Amino acid sequence: MKPSSNRPPLLLKAMALGRSRRLVRAGSALGLASVTLLSAGLVASANRPMTARILDFHGSGSNFWIRSSSGARADSVTRQAEIYDGGSLSVPDRNHWASFGFFGGDQRYRGLLVKTYDWGIYTFACRIQGHHIVGWSGSNGRPCSRGDHGIQIQRARADNSAGNPISRLLDFAKQASSISDLSIEPGEQLTLIRTQQSANNAAAVTVEVFQGSVDIEAPNLPQSGSVVAGQKYSSPSGTITPFNASAEANTCEMLRFLNPFYWSAENTPEEIRRPMADQLRQYREALGVSGQSPNLPGLEQGVVDEMNRARTNPALYAELLAERRQYFRGNRLELPGQVPLVTNEGSAAYDEAIAFLRATRTLPPLTASAGLSQAAQDLVAVQTREGGIGHGTGATDMSNRLARHGTVGCASGENVSYGSGNARDVVIQLIVDDGLPSRKHREIMFNPDFQVTGAACGSHPQWRSMCAITYANGYLEAGR
């Protein structure tokens, strides 16, 4: 039933704020190469992948270096290029990255993720130099595990004389050396490590274990053996020292690795996407960078669920907006059974939001955090009592509220909705972003780097109701 014309129309208001110590965005130049190892597809060794196929990269392809086992070199990297049979790829510096996956005949994910960066070299299938992050699932038959003698770190001496740095890097990969390789074999459980190697002294290697355990072996080392989560192994001294794995996991570098958005493309099959995302989720939960699960009230939980519906299936959410669009009368949205809503742009803002959603890539769902929700509640409590809009000042400033309850990784944001009475209306208001040309609220909600969220809602003396929603790419609760 159409609402009575004598009912006063509603007005809505929203505020957006995004901050970052080092905000990571899709396609930013971080000098990373992401490797996904999938099915073996080989008769001789079922654990070894067949080819590494490049899925994406950033920067000029001519600055990447690919070598095949025969020594042939390709100066240009393109999507769908392959590395196999002892071939290698090197990333020239921090301004380039490439993501690529390992595929076999059955296209089945085999539980190994690798990222190489900072002048790193990855040689197919289990040999590395430079800086890497390596994660094994807890499943059987993982590549580069015990059956493959693990990951081998080549500790050749680098030529640090003057000249082209890429040439020096490639020489580093080719040189024979009297220094033995370092072998890293994961335990049977879920395992995550980071290796770092000095460009000036290739024998100097550190291995940090974030989760699980690894056995490290190399001839002539003072000490070899098992290194467990929260420990760092240093070569050639052979010493094992503690480090704060959760704090290190809450950095830009590690949080990007732990984000499933960067491990699949739009056309990645669900049977590959799902186990990879689950493996990364287990890492985040074990390391605490997704905060602690809250017990949210119904409206707040509904807001989180509604945001995740929009992020995980934007095309379907576009149809929901298209259904609403038919009820515009000029700049008034007259939904059946509801008070008319006065808008700034009329149906034009809906048309733009629908086009955005239909063109947007599917994003991973957000995980609700108790600490982020409490930071949102701090703002709601003040504005419910005192009125006003915005993100607070002084002690109620967003950064101070977030810091009061935990530690943000390196990117955070906040949306505040005023005047919407249910979860769906809150989320649609922020997506349509009527009257705000920058569409900042939508940008924050669909930021692929954000993996954690919090929500709090309450009454407002001027706008009847409000909901504050906080976001971060990682969040360690206070006391973790």
Side-chain angles (χ1 to χ4, degrees), residues 288-296 367-379 397-408 412-414 452-456 468-472 474-480:
V289 295
S290 292
Q292 298 175 3
S293 179
N295 184 17
L296 293 175
T367 300
S369 156
L372 287 179
S373 296
Q374 187 58 56
Q377 178 59 43
D378 290 349
L379 179 67
D397 173 79
M398 183 186 75
S399 296
N400 288 323
R401 287 185 280 112
L402 293 175
R404 188 177 304 136
H405 302 285
T407 304
V408 171
S412 61
E414 183 174 74
V452 196
T453 191
I469 308 166
T470 51
Y471 307 83
Y475 194 71
L476 281 175
E477 307 275 350
R480 170 74 187 194

Side-chain angles (χ1 to χ4, degrees), residues 30 39 42-43 54 60 67 87 96 99 118 136 155 180 184 195 239 277 327 341 348 350 374 400 403 405 429 442 448:
L30 293 180
S39 172
L42 299 182
V43 176
I54 295 173
S60 172
R67 285 181 179 270
H96 296 78
S99 61
D118 195 13
W136 290 267
R155 301 188 303 140
S180 61
I184 304 174
T195 71
T239 57
Y327 296 104
L341 175 66
Y350 264 68
Q374 187 58 56
N400 288 323
H405 302 285
Q429 176 194 1
R442 182 197 305 161

Side-chain angles (χ1 to χ4, degrees), residues 223-246:
Q223 181 177 335
S224 298
S226 182
V227 184
V228 301
Q231 292 183 335
K232 177 170 66 175
Y233 179 92
S234 299
S235 165
S237 66
T239 57
I240 298 176
T241 55
F243 80 104
N244 191 328
S246 291

